Amino acid sequence: MDLVPNLQVFEALGGALLGAGGRVLLRNGGFIQLDMELERRQAEPVEEGGSNKGGPRGTKKLSRKEHKMMNVIAKQMNVEISQRPSEWAVIWGPSLSTGTPKRDLKKMCDPPPVEIRQYENKMFSAMRFLDPAHAAIAKADLSGRDFAELQTMYVGFLGGEPPLESIEAASPFKVGLPEGLELIPEFISEEEEENILKTLVPEDLNGLGQSLKRRWVRHFGFDFDYDTNNVDTTKPSAYAEFPKCVSPVVERLVEKNIVRKKPEQITLNHYLPGQGIPPHVDTHSPFEEPILSLSLKGSVVMDFRDGIRHSAIILPRRSLLVMKGESRFLWTHGIANRTFDVLLDVDEGVTARPREPRLSLTFRLLKENKVCNCRFPFMCDSQKGKITSENASNLEDNLVHQVYEDIAQHFSSTRHTPWPKIKEFVQNLGQSDVLLDVGCGNGKYLQLRGSCCEVGTDMSTGLLSICRSTKNAEVLKSNCLMLPFKNNTFDAIICIAVLHHLSTKERRLQAVNEIFRTLRPGGQALIYVWAKNQEVDETKSVYAQKQDVKTTSNDLAADSKQDILKNYTFLPVHNRESDFPHNDMLVPWIKGSTDKSEVHHRFYHVFNQGELEDLILEIVPQPSIIDSYYDQGNWCARFQKTHV
Ligand SMILES: O=C(O)CCC(=O)C(=O)O
Ligand SMILES: [Fe+2]
């Protein structure tokens, strides 16, 4: 049988099967079938949600993008991409990163792959087919089609076997359970679970309890105050009595010696898929150990982190989590805001499991003296944080100055565009106004007015030399705590993204004082600091939006070259899936390409709303703040010096 060559088939098969006279070479009977099958499918209307956004398959634009994607994948997998169909194909789109379980991926291909490998935090999956021809069909069928509304799928063939799948550091198999953590499966029976669910969760969740940003809660005994992370023991909750349905649980806790007395407080959390709880340590002083969490209705993965390590633990429904020791006092626990979890399944291997609604009951025992003497003073509200006036300077040297030295080139390559409001402030200055940029970085805000008189200071010699070589700017090395200028020197000062790297309030005040001192009377200063809240009016900051493959991984802390981190395990490492849960944190900077990335951690004190203004007002004697606002994840304030 002679078949008219079909362009799409040639494309899918890498053009490899074109025979003399422009006919398809029939390697085996299967190929005739393949060709006809393809033609039949192409004649069919595109299914709902499956529009060909990338244009007709085989367009130049699509193949250019596909080629690019395949190069990225090849690098990450360390496997060559093949132009010819092979038994292994790789698909960009449906993956663990999008929460696509293997069974769903199988359903998308006909004939289906016989094996699928998926990788944590990766946007692609590898598929092995019985025959290269089947891989070619999958490519012809899926390449360029939309997936999950926004993504376009790309398919390529692999020249070798892809890496075996594994769960990275997010696995207790690798890191181990945090010390003091215990998980008791089937702590309650199905009947008890049903009884609790029936009694405590109203159909309309807004009826009783409190709707938080990411979940719904209700308290019994005493209300938990999320502003102070504490309970007011003088004010019993509106639900002072525990509901009857939890009595068997409370009794079992005492009977089995899990607690030494009955818990006095219960928090009920209700999570819908996509909802979670930011990483936190339940405040030390109000509660004894252990803290207990009973899971009902749906299971979930809970992430434990201690600043370096990450252990992700599956909490099955009806299980009881007992947090004592390090897991209670040192490790943060949290649930990512995701619609699926990535876990290791006995049958399926590494897989994404869609979340179901979940209910949890947190049982807490009140501490009588409200004083905590744990071994982790830096995590303890009773013993206050460990950043002191003695070690602050060391911390900033290690976790700020040294890091900017190490990442100077890469950091600079990501900092091009001046932010509009800062640019406006600078460009509104007169031509003869002298501007100081405290913490000028790569000089992004210098020379926006042509050749005016401007000076920049920074602690990174790497960034200073970039300023000199690319801008010919006047810059000098200096700490913002001690500016080498006389009083009343500058007409204007900007200090962008600097104060949040200072680790104590005294030092932040000192820096504002230096700005104030060197500003001339009548001069104005503009200060930007990172905000703890990265989402205002439901709009995420640019930083919070960047949840790409390279940046989500808190676990990379484990591979950090900064040995010095061991001295700072009390500082939680931020993971981009959540708002900043604490004010003092380490924020990872990932340098280099994905396959050879290095992680560096910088110290940040992220500011609460109003904190920057309060700081300025402690130094500036009159209320001279002209403007304060939120801009791209930062709190910002402009003030004028009105006295000498
Ligand atoms: O949902 C959970 O299991 C944990 C809840 C929690 O950590 C809390 O209420 O403090
Ligand atoms: Fe908690």
Side-chain angles (χ1 to χ4, degrees):
M1 186 201 290
D2 279 339
L3 282 172
V4 180
N6 171 324
L7 248 187
Q8 246 90 73
V9 176
F10 295 145
E11 270 258 305
L13 304 183
L17 303 168
L18 244 189
R23 311 252 151 148
V24 172
L25 286 181
L26 304 177
R27 207 165 56 183
N28 57 39
F31 268 64
I32 300 172
Q33 233 193 335
L34 150 65
D35 199 26
M36 296 195 308
E37 176 68 358
L38 274 172
E39 285 192 291
R40 184 183 63 71
R41 285 189 209 179
Q42 279 152 17
E44 279 171 7
V46 175
E47 282 164 32
E48 207 183 315
S51 70
N52 286 333
K53 196 177 71 176
R57 278 168 255 173
T59 60
K60 273 194 180 144
K61 198 173 155 206
L62 168 65
S63 46
R64 240 183 294 128
K65 270 205 105 172
E66 190 157 69
H67 185 72
K68 233 168 123 187
M69 287 307 195
M70 290 307 134
N71 277 338
V72 173
I73 293 174
K75 255 191 171 170
Q76 296 195 7
M77 277 190 166
N78 208 10
V79 177
E80 303 261 299
I81 296 297
S82 157
Q83 294 311 313
R84 290 157 185 259
S86 61
E87 61 169 359
W88 278 105
V90 63
I91 184 161
W92 176 276
S95 57
L96 281 189
S97 275
T98 55
T100 313
K102 288 173 185 161
R103 58 177 180 278
D104 289 3
L105 190 50
K106 268 192 183 155
K107 277 190 219 148
M108 291 164 69
C109 305
D110 181 15
V114 286
E115 183 184 347
I116 295 177
R117 293 184 189 172
Q118 296 188 309
Y119 309 94
E120 201 169 10
N121 289 330
K122 300 288 181 217
M123 274 293 293
F124 51 80
S125 305
M127 307 182 281
R128 185 167 66 80
F129 292 90
L130 260 187
D131 191 298
H134 299 170
I137 294 187
K139 180 174 167 70
D141 264 1
L142 301 175
S143 228
R145 289 189 112 165
D146 281 359
F147 167 71
E149 286 168 27
L150 293 172
Q151 317 268 5
T152 303
M153 294 185 280
Y154 301 101
V155 181
F157 308 117
L158 297 176
E161 190 184 332
L164 292 174
E165 55 185 21
S166 67
I167 286 202
E168 285 303 317
S171 157
F173 299 111
K174 186 163 161 188
V175 178
L177 282 183
E179 187 277 320
L181 193 75
E182 196 188 344
L183 185 70
I184 307 176
E186 315 217 339
F187 189 73
I188 56 167
S189 67
E190 279 182 30
E191 296 74 57
E192 285 169 332
E193 178 189 38
E194 206 183 304
N195 195 18
I196 295 175
L197 290 173
K198 217 169 49 200
T199 324
L200 296 186
V201 187
E203 297 248 312
D204 169 14
L205 285 183
N206 292 320
L208 303 158
Q210 186 187 0
S211 238
L212 300 183
K213 196 161 120 203
R214 298 279 187 203
R215 64 193 195 281
W216 177 87
V217 296
R218 199 172 153 188
H219 304 287
F220 299 95
F222 297 93
D223 288 344
F224 189 88
D225 179 345
Y226 290 100
D227 288 330
T228 56
N229 284 330
N230 212 324
V231 278
D232 183 350
T233 44
T234 61
K235 274 199 229 142
S237 157
Y239 309 105
E241 298 278 312
F242 286 179
K244 275 212 181 74
C245 58
V246 300
S247 303
V249 183
V250 171
E251 272 153 33
R252 200 164 307 143
L253 290 174
V254 181
E255 245 168 55
K256 292 189 179 273
N257 265 332
I258 294 169
V259 288
R260 65 166 191 86
K261 60 168 182 170
K262 280 188 181 173
E264 291 95 344
Q265 198 269 338
I266 300 179
T267 296
L268 182 163
N269 287 288
H270 189 273
Y271 308 85
L272 294 172
Q275 297 185 320
I277 184 166
H280 65 281
V281 173
D282 287 54
T283 322
H284 288 194
S285 64
F287 311 116
E288 281 193 6
E289 64 179 331
I291 303 263
L292 308 161
S293 171
L294 184 69
S295 295
L296 301 100
K297 200 172 176 179
S299 66
V300 81
V301 167
M302 182 174 264
D303 297 294
F304 281 81
R305 296 186 159 96
D306 77 339
I308 301 281
R309 288 167 295 175
H310 173 193
S311 192
I313 289 151
I314 303 167
L315 307 183
R317 64 190 286 188
R318 298 192 284 115
S319 68
L320 180 78
L321 184 75
V322 183
M323 292 180 270
K324 281 199 267 188
E326 287 193 13
S327 73
R328 152 75 180 107
F329 294 113
L330 174 66
W331 294 63
T332 63
H333 57 277
I335 299 170
N337 305 319
R338 308 174 69 156
T339 50
F340 61 90
D341 283 309
V342 173
L343 37 90
L344 197 58
D345 184 272
V346 191
D347 301 319
E348 276 193 274
V350 175
T351 188
R353 183 188 291 166
R355 290 230 186 118
E356 286 167 41
R358 170 176 177 268
L359 183 103
S360 74
L361 292 174
T362 305
F363 295 87
R364 302 186 180 97
L365 283 68
L366 297 186
K367 223 175 200 328
E368 266 145 42
N369 59 3
K370 295 193 179 171
V371 175
C372 178
N373 292 312
C374 68
R375 288 180 288 128
F376 312 101
F378 28 87
M379 296 301 285
C380 183
D381 59 312
S382 276
Q383 302 171 63
K384 291 284 179 265
K386 218 203 176 173
I387 305 175
T388 61
S389 49
E390 284 76 41
N391 70 8
S393 147
N394 234 325
L395 183 151
E396 287 160 26
D397 276 347
N398 290 324
L399 297 178
V400 182
H401 306 149
Q402 187 55 50
V403 183
Y404 278 103
E405 283 306 7
D406 294 341
I407 65 172
Q409 280 295 343
H410 186 238
F411 177 80
S412 177
S413 71
T414 64
R415 296 294 185 275
H416 304 291
T417 321
W419 286 0
K421 283 192 165 245
I422 306 171
K423 188 172 171 182
E424 188 187 318
F425 174 82
V426 172
Q427 289 185 329
N428 278 345
L429 298 173
Q431 283 292 301
S432 57
D433 282 345
V434 183
L435 170 73
L436 169 66
D437 185 349
V438 178
C440 61
N442 67 348
K444 185 164 91 161
Y445 296 107
L446 293 174
Q447 308 208 336
L448 291 176
R449 296 174 298 157
S451 53
C452 289
C453 188
E454 293 173 340
V455 187
T457 63
D458 206 279
M459 282 298 281
S460 158
T461 44
L463 288 171
L464 290 171
S465 57
I466 291 172
C467 282
R468 289 193 193 105
S469 60
T470 61
K471 306 232 158 187
N472 204 14
E474 286 290 340
V475 288
L476 50 101
K477 183 166 176 173
S478 139
N479 195 315
C480 60
L481 296 173
M482 207 161 58
L483 294 172
F485 306 109
K486 286 187 181 163
N487 296 353
N488 309 320
T489 301
F490 297 98
D491 297 298
I493 298 180
I494 54 173
C495 180
I496 311 300
V498 174
L499 297 194
H500 53 220
H501 286 313
L502 295 170
S503 54
T504 64
K505 184 176 172 198
E506 289 64 38
R507 293 164 79 82
R508 296 187 281 274
L509 278 173
Q510 168 72 11
V512 176
N513 195 43
E514 281 295 273
I515 293 171
F516 181 74
R517 179 184 69 73
T518 50
L519 197 61
R520 73 154 169 83
Q524 288 193 12
L526 179 64
I527 302 181
Y528 269 52
V529 291
W530 230 5
K532 181 163 186 259
N533 191 350
Q534 287 293 306
E535 192 176 327
V536 162
D537 298 335
E538 311 258 308
T539 309
K540 286 186 172 182
S541 70
V542 179
Y543 169 77
Q545 282 170 26
K546 282 193 196 153
Q547 291 212 14
D548 57 33
V549 173
K550 282 205 247 173
T551 51
T552 47
S553 183
N554 189 37
D555 329 326
L556 293 169
D559 303 328
S560 174
K561 296 228 161 47
Q562 284 163 286
D563 266 358
I564 199 77
L565 280 186
K566 293 191 194 90
N567 299 346
Y568 300 102
T569 46
F570 61 91
L571 287 169
V573 177
H574 186 239
N575 129 38
R576 284 191 196 222
E577 281 166 13
S578 70
D579 272 349
F580 288 106
H582 306 268
N583 289 95
D584 292 327
M585 305 216 40
L586 293 174
V587 180
W589 176 274
I590 291 134
K591 182 172 117 179
S593 56
T594 324
D595 51 341
K596 262 198 173 165
S597 56
E598 270 177 31
V599 195
H600 299 259
H601 293 83
R602 288 172 298 164
F603 169 83
Y604 275 83
H605 170 83
V606 286
F607 280 62
N608 294 329
Q609 182 162 15
E611 190 180 339
L612 176 62
E613 287 97 316
D614 289 348
L615 206 63
I616 294 170
L617 292 176
E618 279 197 41
I619 299 292
V620 182
Q622 295 183 29
S624 45
I625 296 178
I626 299 168
D627 196 9
S628 55
Y629 53 95
Y630 182 87
D631 184 14
Q632 322 221 27
N634 290 265
W635 295 117
C636 320
R638 183 159 60 93
F639 72 86
Q640 184 158 34
K641 180 163 172 177
T642 50
H643 89 301
V644 185

